[in-house]
Amino acid sequence: MRVEPLKSKFDVEFDLVSTDKSISHRCAIFSLLSDGVSVISDYLEAEDTLNSLEIAKKLGAKIEKIDNKYYITPPTKISSAKSVLECGNSGTAMRIYMGLLAGCDGFYVLSGDEYLNERPMRRIAEPLMKVGATIDGRDSANKAPIAIRGRSLDYFSYDSKISSAQVKSALILAGLCAKGCEFSEPELSRDHSERMLKGMGADISYKNGKIIVQPLNSKKLKPLIMSVPNDPSSCFFYAVAAAITPGARVKFKNILLNKTRIEAYKVLEKMGAKINYTLTSSEYEDIGDIEIIGDELNAIIVDKNISWLIDEAPALAIAFACAKGKSELRNAAELRVKECDRISVTINALKACGIEAGEYEDGFWVVGTKPNRALVDSYGDHRIAMSFAVLGLKCGMYISKSEFIATSFPKFSYFLRMLGARVED
């Protein structure tokens, strides 16, 4: 991909950018536990999320698409798939399906592309095995392909040492499909799973800092009837583009406003960007509009609620690079085990652009300055590629392996062009 610098500021409003990836994955997976047809409007049609639908089909679901709606009819019972369940590049799909299938009778094998199969899965496999699941894979079940011999697990209690929505979702599903569970984590991670499952009728409550999950037993959940809102993580790239361009303005309508998903916007606001939020509806989730107006940015130290902005960290690094002073991100060691080591890859790419930056074991620091055009290796990581495309709006950029953007955001370049950018994929 090649990106040329913007020639002027922009003023753009988006009705539909990219619908939410996390919500779309969960719609496909949770529909398997319902007692009727789930109807999902505006499901994200990216490689990762389409793989989640395909896995649901292999597990017995019937899936039809009519206009912009997916109709998902669950199987009477989830049973062994006849072939490998391919997750593509999606860690979310693999990790959440691991939790679901660990508590379902049958034999299942989850695999992915060359990048996903090198990513660590022990953070999911280990807690599941501790509560009685039978899981195997390369490197002692740390790397895919992952084989699962599902069964009804006993009631369990698990105190997670990390705040991770994927770990939490996997354990909640394992408890639902087995005999229930208790789960706790150091701080609240993104809570889509609890919200959506409770909306479907699951008995999930909170007591003394713990999530209490009652088993489904022979019951089923209500079907999901949902329109997937815009993804704040995808929209955040354009929010950063506005924030680093004084006087530029961008507005996103029908966007997810869950507090665990807009923390990165709050960081931009603290750095000096002008941001307005308007709540328009609440059902499974809070949904509304976000407006961002660019202004001079100042350095910041970010060390709290990190699990709420972990996906936006590479794009935040771009905002840091365009701010006055030295910014820091700490308590973000999880970035080391994403699609790539996002700490090292981000810092090396910033240095290639002439930005003074360095690593901590659990984060990074960046001193804002005028960037230079460079050739950046994304290492097959879609968020790295998109983040440095945004920096290219300031100085121009060449990005290798940018084709992996299609795993989560096929229309990324289309909307970048709407800001006035010249982009060659």
Side-chain angles (χ1 to χ4, degrees):
M1 172 184 285
R2 186 180 79 180
V3 181
E4 294 298 325
L6 284 175
K7 293 184 177 180
S8 61
K9 62 185 180 183
F10 52 85
D11 186 340
V12 182
E13 294 191 5
F14 292 116
D15 291 317
L16 182 63
V17 180
S18 178
T19 52
D20 195 80
K21 184 180 177 184
S22 296
I23 299 294
S24 294
H25 276 303
R26 285 162 173 78
C27 284
I29 297 168
F30 296 171
S31 67
L32 291 166
L33 301 176
S34 73
D35 62 1
V37 181
S38 291
V39 183
I40 313 300
S41 304
D42 298 320
Y43 186 91
L44 176 63
E45 293 184 324
E47 292 175 12
D48 282 356
T49 46
L50 290 174
N51 281 330
S52 281
L53 277 179
E54 187 60 29
I55 290 171
K57 188 184 297 184
K58 287 184 176 182
L59 294 172
K62 178 184 176 183
I63 299 175
E64 296 179 284
K65 184 185 178 186
I66 301 175
D67 297 325
N68 75 325
K69 295 182 180 179
Y70 277 92
Y71 295 80
I72 307 173
T73 305
T76 302
K77 180 182 178 182
I78 297 173
S79 56
S80 301
K82 296 179 180 179
S83 59
V84 172
L85 304 174
E86 295 288 351
C87 301
N89 190 248
S90 177
T92 298
M94 182 170 286
R95 289 166 176 151
I96 296 181
Y97 267 120
M98 284 173 68
L100 173 70
L101 299 175
C104 296
D105 289 338
F107 178 73
Y108 313 91
V109 178
L110 292 157
S111 190
D113 65 16
E114 60 178 309
Y115 294 96
L116 179 58
N117 283 5
E118 289 301 318
R119 291 171 61 187
M121 294 295 147
R122 186 172 287 123
R123 62 172 50 198
I124 302 295
E126 188 173 85
L128 288 171
M129 289 190 288
K130 280 184 176 179
V131 301
T134 303
I135 300 176
D136 202 358
R138 295 187 302 123
D139 187 21
S140 301
N142 187 40
K143 293 182 179 179
I146 296 289
I148 301 170
R149 177 69 67 181
R151 67 177 187 85
S152 181
L153 305 173
D154 292 331
Y155 188 92
F156 62 86
S157 179
Y158 189 77
D159 296 317
S160 179
K161 303 304 180 190
I162 60 172
S163 296
S164 166
Q166 293 176 353
V167 173
K168 177 171 62 178
S169 298
L171 271 292
I172 286 174
L173 287 177
L176 273 176
C177 294
K179 296 177 182 177
C181 69
E182 295 180 9
F183 178 88
S184 66
E185 56 186 349
E187 66 178 19
L188 176 68
S189 60
R190 290 174 171 177
D191 60 353
H192 303 308
S193 292
E194 303 99 292
R195 286 171 175 260
M196 292 176 67
L197 289 167
K198 286 179 70 174
M200 295 172 72
D203 188 346
I204 299 175
S205 58
Y206 302 86
K207 185 177 180 180
N208 298 326
K210 289 182 178 289
I211 299 173
I212 313 298
V213 180
Q214 300 300 329
L216 289 178
N217 295 322
S218 59
K219 296 183 297 183
K220 296 277 190 175
L221 299 177
K222 295 181 293 185
L224 275 165
I225 310 297
M226 187 173 190
S227 177
V228 183
N230 272 318
D231 186 341
S233 297
S234 295
C235 292
F236 190 67
F237 298 103
Y238 310 110
V240 171
I244 65 176
T245 308
R249 172 184 175 272
V250 66
K251 183 175 183 179
F252 309 105
K253 298 180 179 179
N254 191 42
I255 190 171
L256 188 63
L257 293 181
N258 181 309
K259 71 176 183 179
T260 68
R261 291 295 303 280
I262 59 171
E263 184 71 9
Y265 292 83
K266 299 293 186 180
V267 171
L268 286 184
E269 193 173 3
K270 290 174 183 176
M271 293 177 74
K274 297 172 184 175
I275 303 184
N276 299 307
Y277 310 87
T278 305
L279 180 68
T280 57
S281 65
S282 295
E283 189 175 356
Y284 296 104
E285 292 280 2
D286 291 340
I287 296 170
D289 304 335
I290 299 181
E291 178 188 50
I292 300 95
I293 300 171
D295 206 341
E296 184 175 82
L297 300 182
N298 296 301
I300 191 171
I301 295 175
V302 181
D303 58 5
K304 294 180 176 61
N305 295 330
I306 300 303
S307 63
W308 296 4
L309 53 72
I310 199 73
D311 288 338
E312 291 78 29
L316 272 177
I318 303 306
F320 292 176
C322 298
K324 278 187 172 182
K326 179 181 178 180
S327 295
E328 298 182 21
L329 177 71
R330 302 302 300 263
N331 300 322
E334 187 176 346
L335 289 170
R336 299 275 187 193
V337 295
K338 291 291 188 176
E339 279 80 343
C340 64
D341 181 338
R342 283 182 176 164
I343 292 175
S344 289
V345 172
T346 297
I347 294 311
N348 288 337
L350 287 173
K351 288 179 177 178
C353 299
I355 304 293
E356 186 180 353
E359 298 184 28
Y360 300 116
E361 185 58 35
D362 66 346
F364 51 74
W365 57 267
V366 181
V367 177
T369 190
K370 184 178 179 180
N372 302 320
R373 183 192 295 262
L375 172 61
V376 168
D377 187 345
S378 71
Y379 287 83
D381 188 318
H382 54 125
R383 295 195 188 278
I384 297 291
M386 291 186 283
S387 296
F388 281 87
V390 170
L391 186 58
L393 300 178
K394 299 285 281 188
C395 59
M397 197 69 62
Y398 299 100
I399 303 160
S400 67
K401 302 183 183 70
S402 61
E403 65 272 17
F404 285 89
I405 291 172
T407 64
S408 66
F409 197 170
K411 291 187 175 181
F412 172 74
S413 294
Y414 170 80
F415 292 111
L416 204 62
R417 292 184 183 101
M418 288 186 66
L419 305 184
R422 290 175 292 159
V423 184
E424 291 183 10
D425 292 316

